[in-house]
Amino acid sequence: MVPGPYGVWSARARCALDHWRSALTDYAAQSQFESQIPIKYRESFRPFAPSVLREDVSEWFELDSDSPYMLIVADVREDRRRSMTTDEQALFGIDKLNVVRSEIPAVTHVDYSARIQTVHANTNPLFHRLITRFKELTGCPVLVNTSFNVRGEPIVCTPEDAFRCFMGNDLELLVVGRSILYKSAQDTHLKKDYSSAFELD
């Protein structure tokens, strides 16, 4: 499995909740702040959400019920949290936001909560298999799942949309149906620069 972040597009997509039009990445690869800028170009205080295997949700969060639509917020379990040092507690604003607070920092809010999506084998089998394989490789059943778009633009609707977005951010690869496109193999003349379009933190 290639480390994230990577984009997924399929004609059967409805939204990011079924992962067919999602940007996915490792739960612990980066803090929220560091992830926002190269992937979404949106404000760093807006956290990402975790997709977690339904059968493992209670091992990582203070939750043991279904949340397939990211409608439930629950705390990260205390034994998965990291206490802030005195120096970290004295920080302010973006610096404090960027402190790693748990084993899954990219989805942990400043108050140790997360907006959770549970992934079920019977309703979302492909995504469930993907996370299961990720768990086999890393020991963690959690992926970051966010909509496939950048700030100010709608979610990608066509393969062309997906490719354009892919070429304008730091996604490393794009999955379109059965095809995989690696950023390193693309024509650099097709690269789009979103960074100048937004005032970043």
Side-chain angles (χ1 to χ4, degrees):
M1 179 177 288
V2 178
Y6 56 96
V8 180
W9 183 92
S10 171
R12 63 184 286 186
R14 297 181 300 277
C15 60
L17 293 174
D18 56 13
H19 101 279
W20 291 109
R21 293 183 190 173
S22 291
L24 305 173
T25 193
D26 183 348
Y27 60 91
Q30 300 171 323
S31 69
Q32 289 177 180
F33 171 72
E34 293 168 328
S35 299
Q36 296 284 12
I37 302 306
I39 304 304
K40 301 285 283 188
Y41 292 100
R42 70 183 189 186
E43 301 89 347
S44 59
F45 60 81
R46 296 170 59 185
F48 288 118
S51 291
V52 57
L53 298 178
R54 171 61 182 91
E55 57 268 30
D56 292 330
V57 65
S58 63
E59 296 297 315
W60 290 83
F61 303 97
E62 299 293 343
L63 178 72
D64 193 13
S65 60
D66 297 348
S67 179
Y69 305 113
M70 288 185 186
L71 296 178
I72 296 178
V73 174
D75 290 341
V76 175
R77 280 177 50 132
E78 286 197 30
D79 58 338
R80 304 289 186 182
R81 301 179 191 177
R82 174 189 171 275
S83 298
M84 296 175 65
T85 66
T86 301
D87 288 343
E88 288 171 340
Q89 291 175 350
L91 295 172
F92 180 77
I94 296 299
D95 292 330
K96 192 168 187 177
L97 178 73
N98 203 29
V99 172
V100 172
R101 288 177 168 75
S102 76
E103 295 178 37
I104 45 175
V107 299
T108 304
H109 301 180
V110 293
D111 61 355
Y112 294 100
S113 66
R115 184 168 61 94
I116 299 163
Q117 178 194 19
T118 54
V119 179
H120 305 241
N122 59 332
T123 58
N124 204 340
L126 185 59
F127 196 22
H128 190 276
R129 289 200 301 271
L130 175 67
I131 300 177
T132 297
R133 179 57 178 154
F134 183 78
K135 178 185 176 183
E136 292 171 355
L137 294 172
T138 67
C140 181
V142 179
L143 281 177
V144 175
N145 182 10
T146 189
S147 59
F148 193 171
N149 64 308
V150 296
R151 174 179 171 187
E153 293 195 358
I155 192 168
V156 297
C157 291
T158 67
E160 292 80 8
D161 289 343
F163 183 78
R164 189 180 309 111
C165 186
F166 168 64
M167 292 302 291
N169 60 27
D170 282 1
L171 292 175
E172 295 177 12
L173 64 85
L174 172 64
V175 180
V176 179
R178 295 181 177 274
S179 300
I180 299 177
L181 288 74
Y182 291 85
K183 178 69 67 64
S184 59
Q186 305 309 308
D187 183 347
T188 56
H189 292 95
L190 298 176
K191 185 171 177 58
K192 183 177 177 65
D193 184 11
Y194 284 108
S195 62
S196 61
F198 307 110
E199 182 178 351
L200 305 180
D201 290 331

